Amino acid sequence: MGILTRITSALLVNCALLLSAPSTAQNSSECDSGLEGPCATNSAALSMNDIQSIGSHNSYKLAIPAPELALIASYNKDSADSLDYSHLRLTTQLNMGLRQIELDIVYDPEGGRYADPLLPRATARTYGAMPYDAQQMHAPGFKVLHSQDIDVHSNCATWILCLEEIKAWSDVNPDHVPILIMFNAKEGGSAYPGVTPALDFSREAYRALDAETLSVFPADRIIKPDDVRGGFATLREAVLAGNWPALDSARGKVFFALDERPEKVRIYMDGRSSLQGLPLFVNSISAEDDHAAFFTMNNPVGDQERIRAAVNAGFIVRTRADANTQEARSNDTSRREAAFASGAQYISTDYYVPRLEFSDYSVSLPGGAAARCNPVRLDKRCR
């Protein structure tokens, strides 16, 4: 058994013990900060934006096989280093307590556009090569991968397969806090030569994405913008008035966020200024936007005060505890600590399990909890 397998097994056992422990005085110190499981803190008075959870960055990504990574390094060593990370299956991540999943999708309305990627083909006869499994890549639909032709190995190859795995886990864990499923809609080419450009996301593409989403998760299992907006004129007004669903009513559900630049967000919104009738939230740039509810602010050091202000105002924020493998390689915890202190509800990492050939750097909540009371919004109430 390899060192990573041993660490993962130990973490899974610890998590299972935490979530299954009876609520007694003997173990209460382990469970005080937890908001899931039979020893959960009483959460009746909390809203879904009153928590803090850990998530993963590019949650679907598998390791790039050594021959493919070597080709990337020959072109750009820094890029190869930044891509040298991978993730466990989504089910395993959820079992370990992660409550934010990030996916990258490409549009493939005819099917087969990404079925024969460049680097697996170029290294197919090289020692250590990994065969590319194109089984799921031929049918029409949205595919999940990091960078077409270059970084293509995924633990769930399509949007539907990824969502089906999350839903299957949710079905058997109905008391979980809301899971944020955020995604990037990849378009265009690449800095690497010979790459097949990803198709643009048109209005029709986004409506097809909505349809695929609702084919897996029924509407009553999704927290939608309309659920937050209620009778308010705009989504922003509802958020500022504290109209996020209560945490207990949001259990067992997911919510989606398109994390893209404003021009792509506008295409998805299709003239609906508060996302009326749409199933997905979108990333906001300004707290003055009518659709403002969710923010991606990935620099918890430079954006510390901005994140805290947004969280205090009622918005939901996702930030990153590490990026490009740098913190793990140097065992630098300053960004991680800034992320926790910012109050961002979802803190993304590549290292919920440490990569020991780099360092023992890792990211988790105290006691291994899946969620805790938000340290900015509810410090006194939940201490």
Side-chain angles (χ1 to χ4, degrees), residues 73-147:
S74 70
Y75 183 79
N76 187 321
K77 176 64 165 56
D78 289 342
S79 178
D81 285 347
S82 73
L83 295 173
D84 188 13
Y85 64 94
S86 64
H87 287 293
L88 303 170
R89 288 194 60 84
L90 300 185
T91 299
T92 304
Q93 294 181 46
L94 292 166
N95 279 335
M96 294 174 68
L98 276 68
R99 295 295 178 264
Q100 173 253 297
I101 299 296
E102 182 180 22
L103 306 173
D104 289 323
I105 59 174
V106 288
Y107 184 37
D108 189 14
E110 297 180 0
R113 185 175 181 85
Y114 309 101
D116 185 25
L118 176 63
L119 288 195
R121 184 172 71 249
T123 60
R125 298 180 180 275
T126 305
Y127 177 77
M130 177 184 293
Y132 181 70
D133 183 1
Q135 180 179 356
Q136 303 294 334
M137 304 301 283
H138 295 285
F142 296 89
K143 308 304 192 298
V144 174
L145 53 86
H146 189 222
S147 176

Side-chain angles (χ1 to χ4, degrees), residues 97-220:
L98 276 68
R99 295 295 178 264
Q100 173 253 297
I101 299 296
E102 182 180 22
L103 306 173
D104 289 323
I105 59 174
V106 288
Y107 184 37
D108 189 14
E110 297 180 0
R113 185 175 181 85
Y114 309 101
D116 185 25
L118 176 63
L119 288 195
R121 184 172 71 249
T123 60
R125 298 180 180 275
T126 305
Y127 177 77
M130 177 184 293
Y132 181 70
D133 183 1
Q135 180 179 356
Q136 303 294 334
M137 304 301 283
H138 295 285
F142 296 89
K143 308 304 192 298
V144 174
L145 53 86
H146 189 222
S147 176
Q148 65 273 21
D149 283 312
I150 303 300
D151 188 2
V152 296
H153 298 274
S154 303
N155 59 36
C156 49
T158 72
W159 178 249
I160 285 180
L161 285 174
C162 294
L163 297 192
E164 286 178 339
E165 185 172 353
I166 297 168
K167 183 177 182 294
W169 182 90
S170 178
D171 287 344
V172 297
N173 295 275
D175 291 332
H176 67 78
V177 299
I179 298 169
L180 168 60
I181 304 171
M182 56 184 298
F183 66 100
N184 300 121
K186 294 291 186 95
E187 297 180 342
S190 167
Y192 296 92
V195 169
T196 301
L199 298 176
D200 288 346
F201 273 73
S202 61
R203 175 187 176 278
E204 290 71 26
Y206 282 126
R207 296 294 80 83
L209 180 67
D210 288 345
E212 282 201 5
T213 303
L214 292 168
S215 75
V216 178
F217 278 98
D220 62 358

